[in-house]
Amino acid sequence: MRTNLLLVAIATIVHVVATPTTAIPGGWFKIKNIADPHIQELGKWAVLEHTQLGGNDGLRFVKVVSSEEQIVNGVNYRLVIDALRLDGSHGTYKAVLFEKDSSNPKTRKFISFTPAN
């Protein structure tokens, strides 16, 4: 009985110590509030950049459906985006981008945009 209580206490301490409460530089973390207007704006921007850089597929942004961020000297984002194709069907795409300063869209860098399925 004492051994079980000791193991529970140790497991609890390990969980508390090992569970991050803030973003750790270099690690990828799920963005919980994908409805955040800034995250949705990044998704829209990624689709527009894809189109302007030669993606002649006529995609139109619908919404970001999931996202992760990595804190570096700025923020890397991995976004999964729902977009409309020319034929009206929905497609899912993965976009990766970097943003140095969230208050300045000119600091964004488009890294990649690929079909997710």
Side-chain angles (χ1 to χ4, degrees), residues 20 22-30 68-78 98:
T22 59
I24 298 171
W28 285 97
F29 295 92
K30 184 174 178 139
E68 296 177 309
E69 65 183 354
Q70 179 185 44
I71 308 300
V72 290
N73 188 12
V75 182
N76 286 318
Y77 292 95
R78 291 193 291 209
F98 170 78

Side-chain angles (χ1 to χ4, degrees), residues 7 10 29 37 40 47 50 54 59 63 65-66 71 74 79 82 87-89 91 107 110:
L7 290 175
I10 290 170
F29 295 92
Q40 294 299 316
V47 172
H50 162 74
L59 291 180
K63 66 182 176 179
V65 295
S66 72
I71 308 300
L79 308 175
D82 177 22
D87 66 4
S89 66
T107 67
F110 181 85

